[in-house]
Structures are given as C-alpha cells and as structure tokens.
C-alpha cells in the first residue's frame, strides 16, 4: 500500500519521563496519522510531531459519534527488548468495530507496520521499570465537515502513545465493584461488541452511581432482563467456582477482550475447567452464600487483572478478601505480566518484537 512519510521533531535533549506517570496525561513527541477519502481510500500515511490540529465545528464525529478505538501496550522487557502484546488481535478487532460502525476497514498489516515504526522512533519514551509500559491508542473518526445523518465520506486514523505507570502503584489491590440494574451499557445486535466511543458515554451515568456509593467500577448486566453478567467498565469479568472458572460468553453485547482470550488460553493450559456461558447475578450470590464461589476478577489491557474485593447488588454485599487479591487473580497477573516483561517464556508466541 502506501509508504509512510516521516517528519521528526528536533530533540534538543534526552527524553525525561515525569516521576508520576498518570494514565493518559503524557504523550510522546510524535504520532501517526492517515486519511481516508472515497476517491483515494486510505492514504497520506505520516508520522509527525505531536500537535493539535484544526477541525470544523461541523465535523461529523462531534454530532453522530462515528468513532472507534483500540488500546494496547508496548513493554521494555528485562533484557532490553521492546515487545507489543498481541497487536494483530487489536487491529483485527479495530476492523470488526469499523465494519459495524460503517467505517472503512484498514490494511491490518500496514497499520501494524506503521505502529511499530512509530514505536521505534519513540522507544526512549518507554519506561523501563516493571509494571510500566507504553500505552498505544489507535483510533478512527468520521471527519466530514458537514452535517447529515449518514456515514462520513472522510475519516482520519491516528495513533498516539502515552508512557504509563502501573495501574496499582501501591501493589496489586482488589477493587470494589457495583452491580447496577438501573442502567444498561449495551444490547445484543447493538454496538456493545465494538470499541466505539458511544459505549463509554452510555456508561458514565452508571459509573457515577457506583462512585457515589464508594465503588470504583460498574458490573453491567444484560440489556434485556438485567439478570446476566456482561462486563465491567473496560474489563471482562471472570468468576471462579470451586470446580469451574467461567466468563460470560460473547453474545454480541460484550467487548471481546484480548486479555480475556489470553486468560482463557492460560487457564486451559493449567487444566482448569474453563467455560464461557450465561452467568446470572443470582447464581453468583447463591454460590457465595453456599460457599461455592472462590473469587472474581476483571481482565483488560489497562490493569491486566483486577481482583474483585467487594461486590454490591441491591442490598446484598459480597465480601471477598478486602485487602488481598485472590489466589487465581494473582497467579494470572504474574503469568501475564511475566510474559509481557520477558520474565516468563512466551510459549504462545504472543509478543511482537521491534527489530
Ligand atoms: C477494552 C475493553 C475491554 C478489555 O479488552 P482488552 O482487549 O482485554 O483490553 C473490555 N471491555 C470493554 C468495554 C473494553 O472497552
């Protein structure tokens, strides 16, 4: 396809990372950008200095929300190699989101190559400490500068990079989760399985309700009966019963997480009885009461694994180990971060290395 034009900033000094790397606040010197038009398809691929860009107030995405994104991470491994976790899965998912949102698909191989090129230029921005990484945010939005309720004719794809610190600076800590049946995040045949901006806007009211009650995240139930577990904010959810580790099956309203998929693969390799099925909130509560529920955890790129410390639904509070992460959560966290940081052999071939 097209070549990438590269315009570099003049760096006068070495990259100095801030001590306190809050998520999504620090951006690297450059970003990748590509345009789409009906005549030319995807074209004008370039890496250029990070900057603001002019947009028309009529830009389509502001009005009709045609926007999709991805989130993945590059790691500086213990031997100094730079590696990205399963990027081909992210670009495959980006194209699935694109299809549902009537956005033109991208050449997955080309965009992967462009991302690796950008990371190569920005490698000094990747923190070296364990738990730190470079968060990669590819996104596409409808950029036609006209109003009209229809898919945009023009799009922009961008990739921006943020060095990020560990999700749990005080160590791997369990999180309190609030189950709501007052709001719905997504419905089957809707857009729940796409990483699209609207899903997050739809989730904020429920998120605010959880915060007010002292909980950090919402566990969403299904859109029809508000009875079956779906997922948590930006994480998929797992439940460990005494003889089974299970996660809600992908049904069209759940985001197919790459960390979720990786956990299923690891668990199968460890000979756990792993299933993907319907899990009702009542089954969770009843199993807790009967002593059959061992632990629950969330999976996602940002935190990798989040152990559930407490779960509230209506007046029922399930109390897990409040200060200590669950055994299986911890084991999975160590396995995944071990593979990502090159401490554990990459037996699945998940890491893509910078050459
Ligand atoms: C990104 C995301 C996840 C987790 O996906 P990963 O690929 O594991 O990072 C789960 N749920 C939602 C709603 C998400 O946006």
């Amino acid at each position: 396809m097209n070549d990438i034009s590269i315009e570099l900033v003049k760096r006068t000094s070495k990259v100095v990372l801030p001590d306190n790397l809050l998520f999504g606040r620090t951006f690297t010197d450059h970003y990748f950008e590509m345009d789409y038009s009906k005549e030319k398809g995807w074209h004008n691929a370039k890496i250029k200095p990070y900057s603001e860009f002019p947009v028309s107030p009529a830009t389509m995405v502001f009005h009709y929300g045609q926007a999709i994104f991805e989130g993945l991470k590059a790691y500086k491994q213990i031997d100094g190699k730079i590696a990205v976790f399963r990027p081909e899965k992210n670009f495959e998912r980006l194209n699935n989101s694109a299809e549902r949102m009537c956005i033109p698909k991208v050449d997955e191989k080309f965009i992967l190559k462009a991302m690796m090129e950008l990371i190569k230029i920005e490698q000094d921005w990747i923190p070296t400490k364990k738990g730190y990484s470079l968060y990669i945010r590819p996104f596409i939005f409808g950029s036609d500068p006209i109003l009209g309720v229809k898919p945009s004719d023009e799009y922009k794809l961008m990739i921006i990079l943020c060095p990020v610190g560990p999700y749990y600076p005080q160590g791997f800590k369990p999180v309190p989760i609030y189950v709501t049946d007052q709001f719905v995040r997504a419905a089957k045949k809707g857009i729940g399985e796409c990483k699209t901006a609207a899903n997050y806007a739809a989730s904020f009211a429920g998120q605010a309700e959880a915060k007010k009650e002292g909980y950090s995240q919402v566990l969403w139930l299904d859109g029809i009966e508000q009875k079956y577990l779906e997922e948590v904010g930006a994480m998929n959810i797992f439940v460990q019963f005494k003889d089974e580790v299970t996660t809600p099956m992908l049904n069209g309203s759940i985001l197919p997480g790459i960390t979720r998929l990786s956990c299923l693969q690891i668990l199968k390799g460890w000979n756990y009885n792993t299933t993907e099925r319907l899990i009702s909130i009542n089954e969770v509560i009843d199993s807790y009461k009967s002593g059959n529920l061992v632990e629950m955890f969330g999976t996602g790129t940002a935190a990798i694994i989040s152990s559930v410390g407490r779960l509230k639904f209506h007046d029922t509070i399930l109390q897990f180990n409040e200060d200590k992460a669950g055994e299986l959560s911890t084991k999975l966290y160590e396995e995944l971060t071990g593979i990502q940081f090159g401490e554990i052999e990459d037996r699945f071939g998940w890491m893509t290395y910078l050459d």
Side-chain angles (χ1 to χ4, degrees):
M1 205 173 118
N2 27 15
D3 283 331
I4 307 168
S5 84
I6 298 175
E7 180 197 340
L8 299 179
V9 290
K10 285 196 188 66
R11 268 185 201 137
T12 47
S13 56
K14 277 180 70 167
V15 171
V16 181
L17 293 170
D19 288 335
N20 191 8
L21 276 175
L22 293 174
F23 189 88
R25 307 292 172 92
T26 306
F27 298 97
T28 67
D29 290 330
H30 302 87
Y31 73 114
F32 174 81
E33 186 186 305
M34 185 158 79
D35 299 315
Y36 178 90
S37 70
K38 281 215 151 142
E39 303 73 46
K40 294 188 181 164
W42 285 109
H43 66 288
N44 201 16
K46 49 187 184 262
I47 290 172
K48 58 184 200 174
Y50 192 91
S51 70
E52 293 174 3
F53 60 96
V55 282
S56 156
T59 303
M60 280 268 216
V61 66
F62 298 144
H63 306 275
Y64 313 115
Q66 220 189 351
I68 56 176
F69 67 93
E70 273 304 324
L72 63 164
K73 282 176 173 173
Y75 300 89
K76 210 166 255 175
Q77 299 193 326
I78 47 170
D79 62 359
K81 278 200 205 119
I82 292 163
V84 188
F85 186 69
R86 309 191 80 173
E88 68 289 346
K89 289 273 168 214
N90 291 87
F91 294 122
E92 185 186 320
R93 188 169 67 189
L94 184 73
N95 267 344
N96 289 340
S97 299
E99 187 159 19
R100 176 65 178 83
M101 302 302 288
C102 299
I103 290 171
K105 288 191 183 186
V106 296
D107 177 337
E108 293 170 28
K109 289 221 168 69
F110 174 75
I111 196 72
L112 177 60
K113 195 182 92 183
M115 182 194 75
M116 295 310 279
E117 190 64 38
L118 178 64
I119 295 171
K120 193 186 237 169
I121 291 168
E122 301 293 51
Q123 55 185 286
D124 289 350
W125 284 91
I126 310 178
T128 45
K129 271 189 279 184
K130 171 96 194 252
Y132 287 66
S133 59
L134 187 72
Y135 183 78
I136 306 161
R137 166 56 59 86
F139 59 106
I140 307 179
F141 61 91
S143 57
D144 272 12
I146 49 168
L147 301 180
V149 186
K150 62 171 188 59
S152 188
D153 285 332
E154 292 173 9
Y155 295 85
K156 273 191 185 296
L157 179 154
M158 295 179 177
I159 304 176
I160 54 176
L161 307 175
C162 314
V164 295
Y167 202 81
Y168 299 105
Q170 274 89 40
F172 186 53
K173 281 271 168 64
V175 290
I177 303 268
Y178 185 86
V179 188
T180 185
D181 58 4
Q182 294 308 301
F183 298 97
V184 160
R185 188 194 87 98
K188 268 186 200 129
K189 302 186 183 177
I191 52 175
E193 67 185 349
C194 307
K195 237 175 154 68
T196 180
N199 286 333
Y200 304 86
S203 74
F204 293 153
Q207 190 72 33
E209 183 192 338
K211 281 265 150 69
K212 211 166 63 199
E213 298 266 339
Y215 289 76
S216 63
Q217 301 213 37
V218 177
L219 173 55
W220 299 98
L221 300 176
D222 73 277
I224 298 170
E225 299 177 81
Q226 285 90 68
K227 191 172 156 192
Y228 299 100
L229 310 197
E230 295 248 303
E231 59 177 311
V232 182
M235 289 191 293
N236 295 105
I237 188 81
F238 279 74
V239 186
Q240 185 187 16
F241 297 112
K242 278 199 172 139
D243 55 1
E244 178 190 16
V245 186
T246 187
T247 185
M249 67 205 186
L250 301 177
N251 61 357
S253 58
I254 295 173
L255 199 285
I258 295 157
T259 321
R260 171 190 182 278
L261 175 68
S262 308
C263 284
L264 286 171
Q265 289 176 260
I266 290 172
L267 287 165
K268 279 180 191 143
W270 286 344
N271 287 323
Y272 280 88
N273 173 27
T274 42
T275 59
E276 297 168 70
R277 63 172 176 88
L278 278 179
I279 310 161
S280 74
I281 184 67
N282 287 334
E283 180 187 359
V284 170
I285 293 171
D286 292 347
S287 308
Y288 175 85
K289 287 181 176 159
S290 70
N292 189 39
L293 183 59
V294 184
E295 63 175 283
M296 293 177 66
F297 53 89
T299 63
T301 297
I304 315 296
I305 304 287
S306 283
S307 185
V308 177
R310 187 168 15 116
L311 190 79
K312 182 171 199 259
F313 179 60
H314 294 164
D315 294 329
T316 306
I317 294 179
L318 314 189
Q319 187 71 53
F320 298 91
N321 237 337
E322 184 72 39
D323 310 308
K324 238 180 95 229
E327 214 172 286
L328 186 59
S329 319
T330 308
K331 216 168 117 181
L332 275 170
Y333 180 78
E334 282 170 3
E335 186 71 15
L336 270 169
T337 55
I339 292 171
Q340 289 161 342
F341 284 91
E343 296 162 341
I344 294 176
E345 192 207 330
D346 177 18
R347 60 189 184 282
F348 297 97
W350 283 341
M351 306 310 291
T352 293
Y353 291 91
L354 201 68
D355 48 42

